[in-house]
Amino acid sequence: MIEAPFLRDLSQLDAKLRNDGVVVLAAADVAKASSAPTAEMMALPSRWADLPPDNYLKDGGHYRRRRHSCYRIDGGLMQAVPHRAHWQSLDYNALHGGMQRWFEPIDPVVADSAAWVALHLWLADVASRRFGRQSWFVESHQFRIDTTNGIGRPTPEGAHRDGVDLVAVFLVARHQVKGGETRVFDSRSPLGQRFTLEQPWSLLLLDDERVIHETTPIQPMADGGYRDTLVVTLRRGSFQGG
């Protein structure tokens, strides 16, 4: 298992994201940079236990559970938009693209928490420093990948881009699993890196135009193994699909 290449100096975050297209932060630095209350952050993972099944998996699997909500962030203000489907083009998701996928919304207990809001506002600020100040169209996904049937696939679509500007992948929890290795490739060269996120609330930040990413399947080390993540995407102009 290859350890995550955590950024050692937070002041280098913007330059690292601009130059490499990928940044990995330890949980303590996420809390520091975002000003998210640490106690609230550490209490949120319990809310991943009741995620509804993802009924859109085209590989026939039953290993993914999720919730999904959308926001608009502008000028330091975060506003939930009316619940909408998640949509990606086939150009970005050859497996599940081209169809409207309606997931249950994020529970208000989560969405209204100070930690949730702080993390999202900080990500919008990171995106604005990278791409310019503007409105951000934000999609937030709670995922649980479990191993009930032996193998769980965090990215069944394979190595991909998401069709947005900034992608944030927070590892929320790992329980009794092996695998789940993150792989990030430069979209313009054969260069890449691989590592495994293990620390709750550690973060992978990606410039979606610059890099392609995937996570390898997980296997159980004991009954009930799972991997929980929060994936937040930020896009200029509009949500995908309008």
Side-chain angles (χ1 to χ4, degrees):
M1 185 175 292
I2 302 173
E3 294 183 359
F6 292 130
L7 185 69
R8 296 183 179 275
D9 182 353
L10 269 177
S11 68
Q12 296 300 309
L13 188 158
D14 293 344
K16 180 78 170 174
L17 186 62
R18 182 177 63 252
N19 294 333
D20 298 344
V22 55
V23 176
V24 185
L25 294 181
D29 286 330
V30 169
K32 180 178 179 180
S34 67
S35 299
T38 302
E40 279 201 20
M41 282 176 58
M42 296 307 173
L44 283 177
S46 65
R47 309 304 299 192
W48 265 251
D50 65 346
L51 303 184
D54 181 339
N55 294 316
Y56 294 93
L57 289 171
K58 284 189 173 182
D59 64 2
H62 301 281
Y63 51 80
R64 185 157 76 181
R65 295 176 174 271
R66 70 194 293 181
R67 289 182 182 270
H68 166 253
S69 288
C70 295
Y71 306 91
R72 184 169 180 174
I73 298 179
D74 191 7
L77 297 175
M78 176 176 170
Q79 183 175 10
V81 304
H83 193 55
R84 53 183 288 123
H86 176 51
W87 187 90
Q88 293 174 291
S89 75
L90 287 166
D91 294 334
Y92 294 109
N93 191 327
L95 185 61
H96 297 117
M99 63 177 178
Q100 291 192 333
R101 290 181 283 169
W102 288 93
F103 301 108
E104 291 296 316
I106 306 293
D107 190 306
V109 173
V110 175
D112 294 340
S113 72
W116 183 266
V117 174
L119 288 170
H120 283 72
L121 290 177
W122 170 64
L123 290 174
D125 188 56
V126 172
S128 288
R129 297 199 306 264
R130 174 65 184 88
F131 302 104
R133 297 278 167 189
Q134 58 203 285
S135 295
W136 290 103
F137 295 83
V138 182
E139 296 194 49
S140 301
H141 307 257
Q142 289 176 286
F143 287 102
R144 169 163 289 187
I145 308 299
D146 67 41
T147 57
T148 302
N149 295 318
I151 293 179
R153 295 177 173 84
T155 54
E157 64 272 36
H160 65 284
R161 291 166 53 207
D162 286 339
V164 297
D165 291 294
L166 186 70
V167 177
V169 182
F170 296 90
L171 179 74
V172 175
R174 283 176 62 102
H175 177 71
Q176 294 292 352
V177 295
K178 58 184 177 180
E181 180 181 77
T182 296
R183 297 179 179 179
V184 182
F185 310 95
D186 192 306
S187 62
R188 300 174 294 188
S189 78
L191 297 177
Q193 53 184 303
R194 47 187 285 203
F195 51 88
T196 302
L197 292 173
E198 296 185 274
Q199 184 186 94
W201 291 110
S202 53
L203 169 64
L204 171 67
L205 278 174
L206 303 169
D207 179 334
D208 191 54
E209 185 178 356
R210 288 282 310 279
V211 298
I212 299 168
H213 65 283
E214 67 176 339
T215 303
T216 63
I218 58 172
Q219 295 176 285
M221 297 176 65
D223 289 344
Y226 61 82
R227 180 179 185 266
D228 291 346
T229 56
L230 166 63
V231 177
V232 181
T233 64
L234 298 93
R235 191 173 190 267
R236 290 174 279 186
S238 67
F239 294 106
Q240 288 191 77

